[in-house]
Amino acid sequence: MSRLFTRRTPEKRLEHGLKLIEEEDFTGGFAEISAAAQTGMPEAQFRVGRLYLDGIGIPRDLVEGGRWLRRAAQAGWTEAQFVLATLYLLGLPDAVESDTFELSDVAQNITGTPNYPRAAHWAKLGAGGGSPDAQALYGYVLSAGPEDIRNPDEALVWYRKAAEANCAQGHLGLGLAGLHSAQSDEELAQAVHHLKIAADGNVGSALYLMGIAYERGAGISQDVVAATASYGKAAEHNVRSAQARYGLALIEGRGIERNISRGETWLRKAALAGDFEAAALLGDIYARGGDLAPNYLEAANWYRAAAEGGHAAAARALGLLFVTGAGVTRNEEEAAKWFRLATQNGDSASSADLGNLLLVGGGTSEDRLATRSLYEQAAQSGDLIAAFNFGVCLAEGVGAERDEEQAAIWMRKAAEGIVNAQYWYGRMLIEGRGVPVDPQEGREWMRKAALEGMADAEHSYGQLLVKGEGGPVDHAEAAEMFERSAVQGNVGSMFAMGAMLGGGHDLPEDREKALFWFRKAADQGHPAAQLMMGRYLTRGLGGEPDIEEGCRWYRKAEAQGLSQATIELAQTLRPSAPVSPEAAAPASQGVAETAHPAIG
């Protein structure tokens, strides 16, 4: 009798259906609400649409749910108008506009392509009907829609109406508009005030923006702890940029207790949601190691995800992994592909990596042609880095025949602002490559590059000072240059320092320091330094003799093809043997040359 009584009117059937839904009788509840909707009752139509969208009492069906929402919206139900407008911004299929059933309708999903005209139509109706949420949404459409819809001034009107009704989204709209238009600290503070109200209403994007405001001290006092807390709350709302920032804060212990594992988890969530910066950070974390064990395979996977999304630095990092074979199979063609992609996306260092790879024969002939063309076009437009790289291509025959005269012209242009070009042009002048030999001018360009701190230039300029090439001899300045270069890791300069301090130069002899520098160079495989280690240790030139260690160094130098090491080793083991003139030489054997640096 109760069931029969409730079915007398659509209103009673809707009421009974909602009660059944609360009691988790979803099938019965859907049947009751659907029966009420069939009579044309707007609220029931709206409820049926939501049940279809949520898959309650009936399989989930986007198209059928959208159709019922459209019917309710057409009947003036403001909540249906608001939800329908929201769905059109997400991308409702066109089938929603038709009442003709097709079997293919059941499988359709959100398209991801906003339909701004239809969203604007329904949001405007809902806004006019007094829905604060629809007013805020209509303000958004007017501010973010295409040019033929956009009307920022009218958008502010609707945002204010929504905010006056205590709608958090209305405050968000006012805050965003204020951030874009603020011309003073007071206006910026007012914009942040609206964002804070929206954040207090648990709007995810507002929480994220408040995190940025606290972090930068923009419109509000800087507060790192509050910033991280805001990022954390926004991360819980699935704001992927907030997930990335919160993860990084946890890893660095910024504004929160450091927690590597939790930080990595949040970065992973952001990366999986499509945040390419988070993916690149994960790649860095796994490649660097530290608190987490290095995992180059994992690093390569994350770098690839970021690189495929257009992240230039990640593409370069992936290219370097392919060059070294860390975490991936060594593949120079694959490395060239990623370096090229990084270069196209604006990473200038990748341009150098690609050039260096091509100089040693890596990549394909197409890579060499494409790279040379890329450098030439950029050089013609005035890019000095590209001018230098194009010069290297011309000098080394990358992607075309060698043309040292043209190479020298481009090197001279690039030398006005590029340290590597100053070094190269200096070498070209000294060696007469593409230009008449001019050791004096070449030395001056080398000096400029050396004073900028380029290790190879410091080493080469030191050699010019020792030899007196292109100017006077100056052993004191040469030693200063060699030491600066050696500190940066130049092995040739490490050996040169040993030679300068070992005697035979216009410097105070200091064989203990000479032994120190010879050892550093020898540890990195410098054959002449290994020979000097053998000589110093077997003769006790820099301290107490150590025949055993000295012989070990002789053998290392011998293994690298130094015949003098063989002779001196034999003399050490047979002291009565005649001493060769070379073995009787002073503690040093001169200053070693270094290879040219490649593209930079």
Side-chain angles (χ1 to χ4, degrees):
M1 292 296 293
S2 174
R3 183 179 294 270
L4 289 172
F5 177 77
T6 59
R7 290 183 177 178
R8 287 183 305 168
T9 64
E11 289 78 9
K12 290 296 183 181
R13 299 198 74 168
L14 173 61
E15 182 183 345
H16 186 58
L18 292 174
K19 182 178 180 183
L20 291 174
I21 294 292
E22 288 180 6
E23 294 171 355
E24 299 188 1
D25 180 359
F26 301 120
T27 303
F30 176 82
E32 292 293 314
I33 296 171
S34 178
Q38 296 290 346
T39 68
M41 181 183 181
E43 183 182 0
Q45 292 172 330
F46 170 70
R47 298 286 185 178
V48 168
R50 291 304 302 261
L51 292 173
Y52 268 111
L53 293 178
D54 297 333
I56 297 175
I58 193 75
R60 189 187 303 270
D61 189 329
L62 174 65
V63 171
E64 193 62 22
R67 285 170 176 165
W68 281 107
L69 287 177
R70 174 174 55 81
R71 293 171 188 136
Q74 288 170 336
W77 195 259
T78 55
E79 195 173 355
Q81 293 164 346
F82 165 69
V83 174
L84 194 60
T86 302
L87 290 173
Y88 271 120
L89 283 179
L90 296 174
L92 271 181
D94 290 337
V96 169
E97 295 299 310
S98 170
D99 287 320
T100 303
F101 175 78
E102 298 287 345
L103 191 59
S104 60
D105 294 345
V106 178
Q108 293 195 46
N109 293 309
I110 288 291
T111 66
T113 303
N115 188 325
Y116 282 102
R118 288 178 181 168
H121 171 74
W122 293 114
K124 183 177 183 179
L125 288 175
S131 167
D133 289 328
Q135 290 166 350
L137 185 63
Y138 187 45
Y140 170 78
V141 173
L142 291 171
S143 60
E147 195 64 37
D148 59 334
I149 291 176
R150 195 174 305 155
N151 188 331
D153 292 335
E154 189 179 353
L156 285 175
V157 172
W158 289 107
Y159 281 143
R160 289 193 188 99
K161 286 186 177 182
E164 287 167 1
N166 296 320
C167 174
Q169 294 289 349
H171 284 288
L172 172 63
L174 288 175
L176 287 171
L179 289 179
H180 288 295
S181 63
Q183 298 294 320
S184 65
D185 291 342
E186 291 76 13
E187 290 177 350
L188 180 60
Q190 183 62 28
V192 173
H193 169 71
H194 284 295
L195 289 177
K196 189 171 188 311
I197 294 173
D200 290 342
N202 261 342
V203 177
S205 53
L207 285 163
Y208 170 65
L209 291 171
M210 282 306 300
I212 293 177
Y214 278 123
E215 186 174 4
R216 299 178 182 176
I220 198 168
S221 298
Q222 190 172 32
D223 188 334
V224 176
V225 174
T228 300
S230 292
Y231 290 142
K233 291 176 183 177
E236 296 286 356
H237 282 75
N238 293 320
V239 178
R240 71 184 189 191
S241 296
Q243 292 172 338
R245 286 179 178 267
Y246 188 52
L248 188 59
L250 284 163
I251 288 171
E252 296 178 349
R254 189 175 65 247
I256 195 170
E257 185 177 351
R258 195 163 182 255
N259 190 319
I260 305 297
S261 178
R262 281 188 65 211
E264 192 270 348
T265 298
W266 279 110
L267 279 179
R268 186 180 291 268
K269 285 184 179 180
L272 290 174
D275 190 299
F276 302 125
E277 186 64 38
L281 283 170
L282 283 169
D284 290 341
I285 289 168
Y286 280 107
R288 242 186 352 250
D291 293 296
L292 297 175
N295 186 332
Y296 293 110
L297 176 59
E298 187 84 359
N301 289 336
W302 288 114
Y303 281 142
R304 185 186 298 276
E308 288 175 346
H311 195 288
R316 182 191 180 216
L318 184 58
L320 292 171
L321 291 182
F322 274 109
V323 167
T324 59
V328 291
T329 303
R330 194 173 185 276
N331 187 324
E332 291 184 344
E333 289 188 14
E334 193 71 7
K337 181 185 85 172
W338 292 109
F339 286 149
R340 185 169 57 252
L341 180 63
T343 300
Q344 291 168 354
N345 287 332
D347 188 287
S348 58
S350 296
S351 173
D353 294 323
L354 178 58
N356 287 332
L357 185 63
L358 299 179
L359 281 176
V360 297
T364 64
S365 58
E366 290 79 9
D367 285 327
R368 286 184 280 278
L369 285 169
T371 301
R372 180 186 180 280
S373 176
L374 179 69
Y375 289 152
E376 183 175 11
Q377 291 174 17
Q380 294 284 2
S381 70
D383 187 323
L384 294 184
I385 294 177
F388 167 65
N389 290 337
F390 182 47
V392 175
C393 289
L394 291 166
E396 301 297 323
V398 176
E401 293 295 322
R402 288 176 183 264
D403 188 337
E404 292 191 334
E405 289 186 10
Q406 282 296 311
I409 291 171
W410 285 105
M411 284 297 177
R412 177 63 182 81
K413 290 180 180 179
E416 293 299 330
I418 306 300
V419 175
N420 288 39
Q422 294 169 354
Y423 171 81
W424 266 76
Y425 189 56
R427 293 298 299 242
M428 296 180 88
L429 286 164
I430 291 166
E431 298 168 8
R433 293 180 57 192
V435 289
V437 174
D438 189 339
Q440 186 172 353
E441 187 182 355
R443 172 163 156 165
E444 178 59 23
W445 281 110
M446 197 69 70
R447 185 186 71 84
K448 288 181 179 180
L451 293 178
E452 290 294 328
M454 181 183 181
D456 289 308
E458 290 167 343
H459 178 79
S460 295
Y461 182 51
Q463 289 182 314
L464 296 173
L465 292 166
V466 169
K467 298 173 185 176
E469 188 173 354
V473 172
D474 190 332
H475 285 189
E477 188 178 0
E480 181 184 339
M481 287 293 149
F482 287 139
E483 185 169 13
R484 285 170 52 175
S485 178
V487 168
Q488 293 189 65
N490 187 292
V491 181
S493 288
M494 294 175 190
F495 175 77
M497 279 303 298
M500 297 288 287
L501 294 169
H505 297 86
D506 298 333
L507 293 173
E509 186 178 290
D510 189 336
R511 290 187 171 177
E512 187 175 342
K513 283 187 178 179
L515 179 62
F516 166 81
W517 285 112
F518 282 139
R519 185 181 293 278
K520 288 184 76 70
D523 284 337
Q524 296 193 47
H526 194 291
Q530 293 171 342
L531 171 66
M532 297 308 297
M533 286 296 295
R535 184 177 295 173
Y536 265 59
L537 290 168
T538 56
R539 302 182 189 178
L541 296 176
E544 293 295 321
D546 190 332
I547 304 298
E548 183 179 352
E549 186 184 356
C551 288
R552 283 202 304 272
W553 283 113
Y554 273 138
R555 291 189 180 94
K556 288 184 178 182
E558 183 182 31
Q560 295 204 64
L562 260 64
S563 58
Q564 184 62 30
T566 305
I567 296 170
E568 294 190 25
L569 176 62
Q571 291 169 347
T572 300
L573 297 174
R574 292 183 291 108
S576 58
V579 177
S580 71
E582 292 84 356
S588 64
Q589 285 212 332
V591 178
E593 294 290 337
T594 186
H596 295 191
I599 290 175

